Structures are given as structure tokens and as C-alpha cells.
Amino acid sequence: MFNTSYSLEQLNAMGQNNMLNHLGIEFVELTADYLVAKMPVDHRTKQPMGLLHGGASVVLSESLGSVASFLSLPDPTKQTAVGVEINANHLKSAKSGFVYGKCTPIKIGRNIQVWETQITNEAGDLICVSRLTTMVIDIK
């Protein structure tokens, strides 16, 4: 399903000088079936009460789903994928360490793709479940 000819180093290089780098998001696993990234729970990703900010979880989810969408394109020189809707259910808080997002496809269509990301803490507890819908468009 995924174009696994890309290395983790290449995926992480795509995150330089943008939101991924700013929040410390790092891709850590790519298989044919799923993509995993980790994000620190620190001063960049916490809300004022000291808990993981829900918006940071959404950034992790959208980043994973967008890259997953890119990796599923038959020819990324002719097409790209853009987000059209995202939702997130925040199920448990995190105060420190890392959270890990695992992104898997729900549907990979010709024009619409739907991705689910489950975010867990280091103990494996489910922190957030998010769904991203992307639209595949031609590059002109």
C-alpha cells in the first residue's frame, strides 16, 4: 500500500523547517501497512495546565495522515493529497515523555482517502483517536 522506497531519514527531512520540526515530531517506523511517529510531551506541546495540548495531538495526526496519503500516491510528481477534514477524540491526558501516533488507512480511494491515527503514551495507553480525510488532486 505505501511506497516504502522512502527512508525514515527522508521522511524526517521533509519535516525540517515546518511544524513537525517545531514540535519535535519524528517518524520512527514505516511498513507497508502503517506509519508511526513520536512527539515529545514538553513545553512545545503542553497547554497551560501542564497536559498535552489537544491541538498538538491533532498536528501529530494530520502530519501522519498527510505523509501516509503522500506515500500511497501512485505518482507523487503528478498528484498530491490535501486535508479536507479532521476530528479527534481526546481520551486520556499525558504530562511527560513521548506520545506515539500509529496511522493506518480506513479507505484509500482514487480521489478520497481516510486515515485513522491512534495516539498512545509510552505505557501503551490510548490518549487520542483521530480521523483525517484527504483529497487527491492533480498537480498542474
Side-chain angles (χ1 to χ4, degrees):
M1 163 186 54
F2 288 137
N3 179 351
T4 56
S5 67
Y6 287 90
S7 68
L8 291 173
E9 292 77 20
Q10 289 171 304
L11 296 182
N12 285 315
M14 289 175 18
Q16 294 302 307
N17 301 314
N18 58 48
M19 180 72 80
L20 280 77
N21 179 252
H22 179 70
L23 295 184
I25 295 171
E26 178 185 353
F27 295 101
V28 295
E29 188 176 2
L30 171 62
T31 74
D33 300 317
Y34 62 86
L35 178 62
V36 177
K38 70 179 184 176
M39 180 177 67
V41 180
D42 64 14
H43 68 280
R44 298 170 289 180
T45 59
K46 288 182 181 179
Q47 41 98 314
M49 298 301 293
L51 304 173
L52 177 64
H53 194 292
S57 294
V58 172
V59 169
L60 177 58
S61 176
E62 181 147 5
S63 300
L64 277 161
S66 295
V67 171
S69 210
F70 168 79
L71 292 172
S72 72
L73 295 172
D75 185 352
T77 64
K78 295 182 180 176
Q79 293 179 310
T80 193
V82 295
V84 294
E85 192 273 338
I86 190 164
N87 67 43
N89 294 87
H90 306 289
L91 307 171
K92 187 174 183 173
S93 62
K95 294 182 179 182
S96 63
F98 286 89
V99 290
Y100 294 83
K102 181 177 181 180
C103 183
T104 56
I106 294 174
K107 176 171 177 54
I108 300 177
R110 209 174 43 202
N111 299 314
I112 295 288
Q113 299 181 356
V114 181
W115 300 92
E116 179 180 78
T117 298
Q118 293 194 3
I119 300 174
T120 57
N121 63 17
E122 292 173 306
D125 300 323
L126 191 59
I127 301 295
C128 177
V129 176
S130 180
R131 188 175 58 225
L132 171 71
T133 302
T134 60
M135 180 184 306
V136 177
I137 59 173
D138 293 332
I139 298 173
K140 298 191 182 209

